[in-house]
Amino acid sequence: MARRRRRACIALFLVLLFAFGTLMGLRTLKAPDGLPALGPGLELAPFERRPEGAPAPAAGAPAVPAAPPPPPRPRTAGPGSPPGPAPAEAEPVPGQSLRVYSDLHAFYYSWYGSPQREGHYIHWDHVMVPHWDPKISASYPRGRHNPPDDVGSSFYPKLGPYSSRDPDVLREHMTQLKEAAIGVLVLSWYPPGMADDNGEPSDDLVPAILDTAHQYNIQVAFHIQPYKGRDDITLHDNIKYIIDMLPAQVLLPPAPQVWLPWRILPL
């Protein structure tokens, strides 16, 4: 009995000694010189509001809180005029005041329309997507969405059911992207004359998107949507069309790939 107690005490002493040695060893460790204090990529979060040409603060320097953005100017509308986005002069002037990052991408869809510009809603009133389980689907309404109160989106857009062809809306979207430090707009694109079942062709809007994005120092990548008859030959023709017909600020992906967004979130 005494021998077992002695062995137990020795084992407990060795465990405590090992734990104490490990703790003391960890206290002496430090990061090697030349490595950042944060992990890879964490030096970008939170994003700082600093001029694009300004150097980043040192790794050991205390973080300086960013100045809060100025309050938005009130949006007014004349009597009898329909509500809509703020006029151009109410939006921030495009410039280099905020820094964007080319490794931050956001999908963008330019297929929305409103009665004020197109004479009818486009995509806001698309067919309600049924649940995959018929039992669950039976408890939900069928038919189409009914804008402006009921729109085909999981979230109601800040600007209301807007038209993608409204220049003020386009500038507002670029402002939102730049405020979020997003440097690449991934544009959902169909070849000329094509669209999905709920929309209309919008390839003619691409030059305006490219020009406005360029003013905000935002690059544009193309997400070529699936369409009937798409194969390696037509895809080659699509890419050639984009390169030949569109400006140089287009950002093409380095390797062939297909982006399939899982949710459509209008800005």
Side-chain angles (χ1 to χ4, degrees), residues 48-218:
E48 301 180 36
R49 295 168 174 257
R50 61 175 183 269
E52 291 191 352
V64 179
R73 295 174 57 180
R75 300 185 174 186
T76 59
S81 61
E89 58 269 14
E91 303 299 336
V93 177
Q96 306 299 324
S97 59
L98 297 178
R99 186 174 182 181
V100 296
Y101 297 86
S102 60
D103 53 353
L104 292 180
H105 296 199
F107 283 96
Y108 188 76
Y109 299 84
S110 59
W111 54 29
Y112 294 100
S114 67
Q116 288 77 15
R117 295 191 71 91
E118 286 79 13
H120 59 282
Y121 287 108
I122 303 176
H123 249 287
W124 298 115
D125 62 342
H126 65 65
V127 177
M128 297 181 182
V129 180
H131 194 276
W132 60 269
D133 188 337
K135 296 181 180 179
I136 299 178
S137 179
S139 61
Y140 287 90
R142 302 287 183 89
R144 304 183 69 90
H145 293 278
N146 186 25
D149 296 329
D150 174 27
V151 298
S153 172
S154 300
F155 301 92
Y156 199 84
K158 177 182 177 182
L159 302 180
Y162 56 80
S163 168
S164 297
R165 297 181 179 275
D166 189 333
D168 293 335
V169 169
L170 189 54
R171 284 190 288 267
E172 173 68 19
H173 285 170
M174 298 302 166
T175 299
Q176 294 176 15
L177 291 172
K178 189 150 191 176
E179 288 284 343
I182 294 172
V184 178
L185 181 153
V186 183
L187 178 62
S188 172
W189 183 80
Y190 283 93
M194 295 186 181
D196 72 337
D197 295 337
N198 297 295
E200 297 179 2
S202 59
D203 175 67
D204 59 330
L205 184 58
V206 173
I209 295 176
L210 294 173
D211 292 340
T212 309
H214 182 65
Q215 296 175 24
Y216 287 77
N217 199 29
I218 295 175

Side-chain angles (χ1 to χ4, degrees), residues 9-91:
C9 291
I10 294 174
L12 179 61
F13 173 76
L14 292 177
V15 171
L16 294 176
L17 183 62
F18 175 77
F20 177 77
T22 303
L23 180 62
M24 294 302 295
L26 292 176
R27 288 174 60 90
T28 60
L29 295 178
K30 66 177 182 177
D33 295 337
L35 292 181
L38 298 176
L42 294 182
E43 64 273 6
L44 300 180
F47 300 104
E48 301 180 36
R49 295 168 174 257
R50 61 175 183 269
E52 291 191 352
V64 179
R73 295 174 57 180
R75 300 185 174 186
T76 59
S81 61
E89 58 269 14
E91 303 299 336

